[in-house]
Amino acid sequence: MFVFSLAVHIYLPSHSLKGKRGIVKSILARARQNFNVAAVEADLHDRHGETLLGFVTVSPSRLAGRQALERLEEWLVAERPDVDVVATDIEER
C-alpha cells in the first residue's frame, strides 16, 4: 500500500470569506467525486484571496497513486481557469 498526498496553494478570485467558501467547497466536492480522494482545506482559512488544499489517496501501486494526483492537478487547472494555482507538491507517505 502506498499513500500519496497533494498540497495545492491557490489564489482565488474572491473578495470575501463567503465567496472563498463557495469556490473551495465546489473544488473539494468535485475532486472527491471524480478522483476518489480525501480532500480538505488545509491552511489559510482566514485569508479570502488564497487557500491551501490537501488531497490524499491510497493505492496498491506507487505509479497509480502518483498518476491519480497528477491527473487531479491537471483537472484543477483545466476545470477552474478562474483560480491561479501557485504551487503544488506531491509526496509519498
Side-chain angles (χ1 to χ4, degrees):
M1 281 273 183
F2 299 94
V3 178
F4 286 90
S5 65
L6 168 65
V8 183
H9 185 190
I10 299 174
Y11 286 143
L12 304 165
S14 66
H15 301 290
S16 68
L17 290 176
K18 185 176 181 180
K20 173 187 174 178
R21 185 171 51 244
I23 295 169
V24 168
K25 286 179 77 172
S26 171
I27 292 171
L28 296 178
R30 296 192 64 205
R32 288 180 187 119
Q33 182 181 32
N34 295 335
F35 296 95
N36 194 28
V37 294
V40 66
E41 182 179 9
D43 200 2
L44 306 174
H45 302 283
D46 58 346
R47 300 179 79 182
H48 63 78
E50 62 184 307
T51 190
L52 181 67
L53 303 180
F55 304 93
V56 177
T57 188
V58 177
S59 174
S61 160
R62 179 174 277 139
L63 180 63
R66 178 169 289 279
Q67 286 177 340
L69 292 181
E70 288 172 352
R71 283 193 311 275
L72 191 155
E73 180 183 346
E74 292 167 1
W75 166 82
L76 180 59
V77 170
E79 185 72 18
R80 295 302 303 246
D82 59 326
V83 303
D84 185 20
V85 176
V86 179
T88 62
D89 183 33
I90 296 177
E91 292 184 11
E92 180 182 348
R93 307 263 176 175

